[in-house]
């Protein structure tokens, strides 16, 4: 694992943007796994700037999003479809036919999940998977207890995640209780994973992920087994790491 500790969120976002930009420049037809949540927003802002100012070309990339709420239509303002188009895809030159986001309204969810797995395979597998982390150590919507070998499927969200997400909905009762999510095994098949953790709400999850035992109770701990896991955290998220000073510390430029 390559762990880099940065002073703050902006610095993590700068570094993440460098990594993703470099991936797309080196391999214009990269398959990129995108994540939602507030954490990658700084990264997406920078990718949009790199497209506008430096011509970063997204036209040949293929994208797969990690997850989507079950029961929200793509135009619902809390759906992950809406999130991705509003915060990234609408502002760069992605080719819509190459964009994949799980369908929260699929009639046959199981068949959809199988199809999603096949599409990832047909695309040649994911080159770089971007990941946030839940306060309880979930990745995508693989909640504690998720099989570490799991594939794309429907999951019930935990009370903690429902509470964390309630702030985005006018009425907490509207928060979807289920999601379609890539499995932990699907994520581990990516050739590289880039996990971002920022703020004090992530300190315990980052400590468990980097220094705890590998356990299904903290699904993010599986990244310890990945051959190319790159973890970017800020001082707040890194606050309780025992090997804190062994990890790279990057000073502001
Ligand atoms: C949701 C998403 C995850 C994301 C997590 C953290 O649960 N399914 O992919 O990592 O939220 O979100 P945030 O970055 O807003 O803390």
């Amino acid at each position: 694992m390559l762990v880099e500790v940065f002073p703050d969120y902006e610095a993590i976002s700068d570094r993440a943007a460098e990594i993703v930009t470099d991936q797309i420049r080196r391999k214009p037809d990269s398959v990129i796994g995108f994540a939602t949540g507030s954490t990658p927003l700084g990264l997406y802002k920078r990718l949009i700037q790199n497209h506008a100012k430096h011509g970063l070309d997204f036209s040949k990339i293929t994208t797969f999003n990690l997850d989507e709420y079950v029961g929200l239509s793509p135009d619902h303002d809390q759906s992950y479809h809406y999130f991705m188009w509003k915060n990234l895809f609408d502002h760069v030159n992605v080719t819509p036919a190459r964009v994949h986001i799980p369908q929260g309204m699929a009639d046959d969810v199981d068949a959809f999940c199988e199809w999603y797995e096949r599409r990832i395979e047909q695309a040649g597998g994911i080159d770089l998977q971007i990941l946030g982390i839940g306060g309880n150590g979930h990745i995508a919507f693989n909640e504690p207890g998720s099989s570490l070998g799991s594939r794309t499927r429907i999951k019930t969200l935990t009370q903690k995640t429902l509470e964390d997400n309630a702030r985005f909905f006018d009425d907490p009762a509207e928060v979807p209780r289920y999601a379609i999510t890539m499995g932990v095994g699907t994520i581990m098949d990516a050739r590289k994973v880039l996990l971002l953790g920022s703020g004090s709400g992530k300190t315990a999850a980052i400590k468990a992920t980097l220094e705890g035992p590998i356990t299904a109770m903290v699904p993010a701990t599986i990244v310890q087994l990945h051959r190319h896991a790159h973890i970017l955290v800020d001082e707040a998220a890194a606050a309780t790491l025992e090997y804190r000073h062994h990890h790279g510390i990057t000073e502001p430029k």
Side-chain angles (χ1 to χ4, degrees):
M1 279 187 300
L2 173 59
V3 182
E4 291 185 280
V5 184
F6 292 88
D8 55 25
Y9 176 69
E10 298 306 319
I12 293 182
S13 303
D14 286 343
R15 179 77 177 117
E18 257 172 38
I19 294 167
V20 178
T21 299
D22 182 56
Q23 172 71 41
I24 298 175
R25 289 236 161 90
R26 273 188 303 105
K27 187 180 176 202
D29 61 349
S30 288
V31 180
I32 313 257
F34 283 99
T36 53
S38 49
T39 308
L41 283 174
L43 159 64
Y44 296 164
K45 237 168 60 193
R46 287 158 177 78
L47 292 180
I48 292 168
Q49 281 164 7
N50 287 350
H51 170 67
K53 290 195 191 145
H54 309 295
L56 182 64
D57 181 14
F58 290 76
S59 66
K60 295 191 188 65
I61 69 164
T62 298
T63 77
F64 287 93
N65 257 79
L66 285 170
D67 48 9
E68 177 60 289
Y69 289 116
V70 167
L72 294 193
S73 70
D75 54 4
H76 189 289
D77 67 359
Q78 289 306 321
S79 75
Y80 286 169
H81 271 82
Y82 186 92
F83 177 102
M84 285 310 301
W85 284 95
K86 175 164 160 261
N87 292 303
L88 180 62
F89 297 153
D90 269 339
H91 311 285
V92 295
N93 62 334
V94 283
T95 304
R98 293 181 190 271
V99 170
H100 303 86
I101 305 175
Q103 283 173 18
M105 301 286 276
D107 289 335
D108 184 340
V109 170
D110 291 345
F112 175 80
C113 293
E114 271 176 41
W115 176 84
Y116 205 67
E117 287 280 331
R118 267 204 316 276
R119 279 298 296 145
I120 294 173
E121 250 177 67
Q122 286 163 359
I126 294 172
D127 290 305
L128 174 65
Q129 176 63 58
I130 299 158
L131 291 174
I133 182 168
N136 61 3
H138 73 222
I139 43 176
F141 269 134
N142 294 286
E143 295 282 27
S146 292
S147 159
L148 297 181
S150 51
R151 312 304 305 185
T152 303
R153 70 217 181 291
I154 186 166
K155 283 296 288 178
T156 307
L157 305 181
T158 59
Q159 192 57 33
K160 160 93 174 122
T161 299
L162 295 179
E163 284 161 17
D164 285 353
N165 292 345
R167 66 185 191 277
F168 301 115
F169 291 80
D170 297 334
D171 173 2
E174 270 183 37
V175 186
R177 303 172 56 82
Y178 305 96
I180 293 175
T181 181
M182 274 188 207
V184 180
T186 319
I187 293 167
M188 284 295 284
D189 283 349
R191 285 184 270 281
K192 277 177 255 161
V193 298
L194 177 65
L195 186 146
L196 316 178
S198 169
S200 56
K202 304 296 168 67
T203 313
I206 288 295
K207 165 86 179 157
T209 297
L210 302 187
E211 297 183 347
I214 296 171
T215 168
M217 292 313 289
V218 184
T221 56
I222 195 69
V223 300
Q224 293 176 27
L225 286 179
H226 199 285
R227 292 179 64 187
H228 298 286
H230 196 155
I231 290 102
L232 311 181
V233 285
D234 61 13
E235 292 287 354
T240 59
L241 290 179
E242 192 175 331
Y243 287 92
R244 165 77 183 76
H245 294 290
H246 183 68
H247 302 311
I249 304 166
T250 305
E251 300 302 337
K253 282 181 195 153

